[in-house]
Amino acid sequence: MKTNFDQVINRHATGSVKWDFIDRYQNMDTENLLPMWVSDYDFACPPNVLDALHKRVDHGVFGYSERDEKYYSALTGWFERRHQLTIKPEWICSIEGVVPGLSLLVQMLSQVGDNVVVQGPYYGSFAKIIQLNQRKLLENPLQEDSEAGYVMDLAQLEMLFSEYRPPLFILCNPHNPTGRCWSKEELTRLLALCDKYDVTVLSDEIWADLLLPGSTFTSVLHLDSRWHSRVIAATSASKTFGLSSLRISNFLIPSSGLKARFIDRLNAHGLDVFNALSMAAATEAYNGSEQWLNELLDYLAANRDWFVSRVERDLPWLRVVPAQGTYLVWIDCRALGLSDEQLKHVMTDIAGIAPSMGSGFGPYGSGFIRINLGCPRSYLEQAINGLLRIGAQ
């Protein structure tokens, strides 16, 4: 039985950051906004995952838990089937979330005052973990491209590597917020530079399963094993299957030395206990939710096609940036000629929507918004109707 992704599920009064805490996190005080900012679904998670959670809850005992063989085989099997990527079980380190793991790695692999490179526009939590750990954010801006959306500025990156000698580069692949999936050729050139200048790559790959039709995903782990000593990939079932609040992710670390140091770091912070419900959900998701995901990807692609066609037809002052992955749309609003504060005002007070403001993704996000398409079509219709009111002003 196919999933009905058009079903509207009321998320109010569930502690949802996206629906219940817009004012706290976005400083948007207007009531009755349509939230399109946080990158989580407004869909229920896969039915078999719900069944697994019910079964585990019915067991009734929630003592200390550990990942079993079924958990490891579910994860490795998924990447083999879905991405033709062979992951060795001994590479896997689990932690409660990708961002906490990246933060620990920033602490582990750099010193206070060191530079850490990101590509702008960048996910805001990258800036947070760099700066709050007393490192310096070193931005290598992406270049806008009419066909791909964005491309890496590798010449500028080499200059930064040469002049500032950063020990770390945080990669987002597929890229949030732009939706760019980096090609094998781009990643190969990137890793060659990292090898030349002794830079370790932390690759956030949590969007890997969420590809648009015709696109492919290349992990840093797909590339030559000679680079495995300087790459760490982070992944999670959370984005793919809508499990964000269950808080489990996996860092894939081929280097035994780096892995041992990371395990020590986890133990030093007491992060050596795992949530029984999270493991049950992730295991079942990877083992039995592939058909659900295929149906979801069809729905998300149709959402994007519909949204883009409406923008192109009715909202010529907006431009949707081309993408290859994620369920986000990165929208250029610069033709409106507004400041970021004015843009925020028209989105909330006129359109009645709460997008992610591009200014939250660093200076190269100024003039943009990010909208989440992981929702029933009726929400997108409401959003378009709101955006039309801006054009009528």
Side-chain angles (χ1 to χ4, degrees), residues 74-384:
L75 178 64
T76 57
W78 177 265
F79 277 90
E80 190 72 58
R81 294 191 309 275
R82 200 77 189 178
H83 301 293
Q84 296 73 56
L85 177 61
T86 299
I87 294 171
K88 296 181 180 180
E90 59 267 26
W91 295 356
I92 300 171
C93 299
S94 303
I95 184 176
E96 296 178 359
V98 167
V99 173
L102 291 174
S103 181
L104 292 177
L105 286 165
V106 167
Q107 296 171 20
M108 183 181 105
L109 296 171
S110 66
Q111 302 296 320
V112 170
D114 279 350
N115 293 292
V116 178
V117 179
V118 296
Q119 300 190 108
Y122 49 76
Y123 177 42
S125 289
F126 291 166
K128 179 174 68 176
I129 62 173
I130 291 167
Q131 292 166 343
L132 291 181
N133 278 308
Q134 298 177 288
R135 275 65 171 173
K136 298 174 184 176
L137 185 149
L138 189 60
E139 186 172 4
N140 185 54
L142 297 172
Q143 294 181 318
E144 296 181 46
D145 182 87
S146 59
E147 294 187 7
Y150 284 84
V151 295
M152 295 186 196
D153 188 342
L154 293 168
Q156 166 77 4
L157 183 63
E158 180 165 20
M159 185 277 292
L160 294 178
F161 282 177
S162 175
E163 183 172 346
Y164 293 97
R165 295 292 173 174
L168 291 177
F169 178 97
I170 299 181
L171 176 72
C172 193
N173 184 30
H175 185 262
N176 174 16
T178 70
R180 180 74 164 88
C181 291
W182 305 114
S183 69
K184 180 179 180 181
E185 291 72 25
E186 288 170 308
L187 293 174
T188 299
R189 293 176 65 194
L190 169 65
L191 288 184
L193 286 178
C194 291
D195 196 47
K196 179 177 179 180
Y197 292 99
D198 194 23
V199 178
T200 299
V201 178
L202 308 181
S203 185
D204 177 355
E205 300 181 354
I206 60 171
W207 295 95
D209 298 318
L210 296 160
L211 304 177
L212 292 167
S215 298
T216 57
F217 166 70
T218 302
S219 169
V220 291
L221 298 175
H222 274 115
L223 305 180
D224 197 307
S225 60
R226 68 191 173 96
W227 285 316
H228 280 184
S229 62
R230 66 173 63 258
V231 297
I232 296 173
T235 187
S236 173
S238 60
K239 282 287 183 280
T240 305
F241 302 107
L243 306 174
S244 296
S245 65
L246 289 180
R247 308 300 294 160
I248 191 165
S249 66
N250 299 287
F251 280 71
L252 311 175
I253 310 179
S255 165
S256 58
L258 285 179
K259 182 191 173 184
R261 290 175 62 194
F262 189 55
I263 293 295
D264 284 345
R265 179 69 59 168
L266 295 180
N267 289 336
H269 287 77
L271 298 171
D272 54 353
V273 178
F274 301 96
N275 186 310
L277 296 180
S278 303
M279 291 185 295
T283 301
E284 186 58 36
Y286 283 131
N287 275 337
S289 300
E290 195 153 6
Q291 182 57 38
W292 179 90
L293 177 60
N294 290 337
E295 293 172 11
L296 173 63
L297 290 176
D298 289 342
Y299 189 86
L300 294 174
N303 265 1
R304 184 180 177 92
D305 288 345
W306 181 88
F307 188 87
V308 171
S309 68
R310 287 299 307 272
V311 169
E312 290 177 345
R313 189 185 79 187
D314 301 323
L315 302 165
W317 39 271
L318 296 180
R319 182 181 67 88
V320 176
V321 175
Q324 298 79 43
T326 81
Y327 51 79
L328 310 170
V329 283
W330 185 238
I331 303 174
D332 185 351
C333 306
R334 290 173 294 185
L336 287 170
L338 302 175
S339 68
D340 288 317
E341 195 57 36
Q342 291 170 328
L343 182 60
K344 180 178 178 180
H345 165 72
V346 298
M347 289 298 159
T348 56
D349 292 12
I350 299 175
I353 64 175
S356 293
M357 300 305 300
S359 54
F361 297 87
Y364 292 90
S366 180
F368 289 77
I369 61 171
R370 190 194 74 177
I371 283 181
N372 177 355
L373 301 181
C375 60
R377 178 69 59 82
S378 60
Y379 290 173
L380 301 186
E381 293 169 353
Q382 183 179 337
I384 288 290

